[in-house]
Amino acid sequence: MFYPGIRIKELRIKQGLSQENLAEKLGMNRVNISHYERGVITKIPSDVLVKLADILQTNTDYLLGVSDNPEKSAGHQDFTEKDERDIAKRMEKIKQDLAADGGLSFYGEPLSEEAKESLLEAMEYAVRQAQRINKKYTPKKYREE
């Protein structure tokens, strides 16, 4: 079974960092790093994942096992400030829409806060993927012949 901690440990050692050093750079406790690496905690908050990728000089797709390419810019474009604002606006609208529905439920049971957060993270991933795909598309009239 894959979990991000496998690659976190591999890259941490490659960078010559101890768990303590990495935890300090992230502003967290060394125990958290140990739990990530051993798979005790497999769901890493997205903000921590982004910081980890930056510190370990890789990309989040590699840490998550989506890509086997550890290069920092592997398989994606960096978003401009405008792209990031657009994504943030879309996510805020999605959050408002979900909240306005009177609460989410699954099989008649209200979703826990953790489940809602997971749903929003998945939706943000989808929005970012769509943004990447759309950035790659060049309308026919602008293509070089």
Side-chain angles (χ1 to χ4, degrees), residues 37-114:
E37 290 183 359
R38 291 184 297 132
V40 175
I41 300 173
T42 56
K43 185 178 180 301
I44 301 172
S46 57
D47 61 324
V48 173
L49 195 65
V50 169
K51 288 179 190 174
L52 274 167
D54 189 47
I55 292 166
L56 298 173
Q57 299 176 5
T58 191
N59 60 78
T60 56
D61 286 351
Y62 180 74
L63 291 178
L64 293 171
V66 174
S67 166
D68 288 330
N69 186 347
E71 296 299 315
K72 189 161 180 81
S73 62
H76 73 282
Q77 298 172 285
D78 291 334
F79 292 119
T80 64
E81 284 183 39
K82 181 186 180 310
D83 292 336
E84 289 292 346
R85 284 192 307 270
D86 290 346
I87 290 168
K89 284 179 188 175
R90 280 191 202 107
M91 288 308 300
E92 190 57 39
K93 177 73 172 127
I94 289 169
K95 287 177 189 176
Q96 288 172 356
D97 289 347
L98 292 175
D101 238 10
L104 296 172
S105 63
F106 187 72
Y107 286 115
E109 295 293 320
L111 288 182
S112 67
E113 288 304 312
E114 183 179 350

Side-chain angles (χ1 to χ4, degrees), residues 91 120-133:
M91 288 308 300
L120 287 171
E121 284 177 16
M123 293 181 89
E124 182 173 355
Y125 178 79
V127 167
R128 287 181 176 279
Q129 286 297 94
Q131 185 81 9
R132 278 188 197 104
I133 291 166

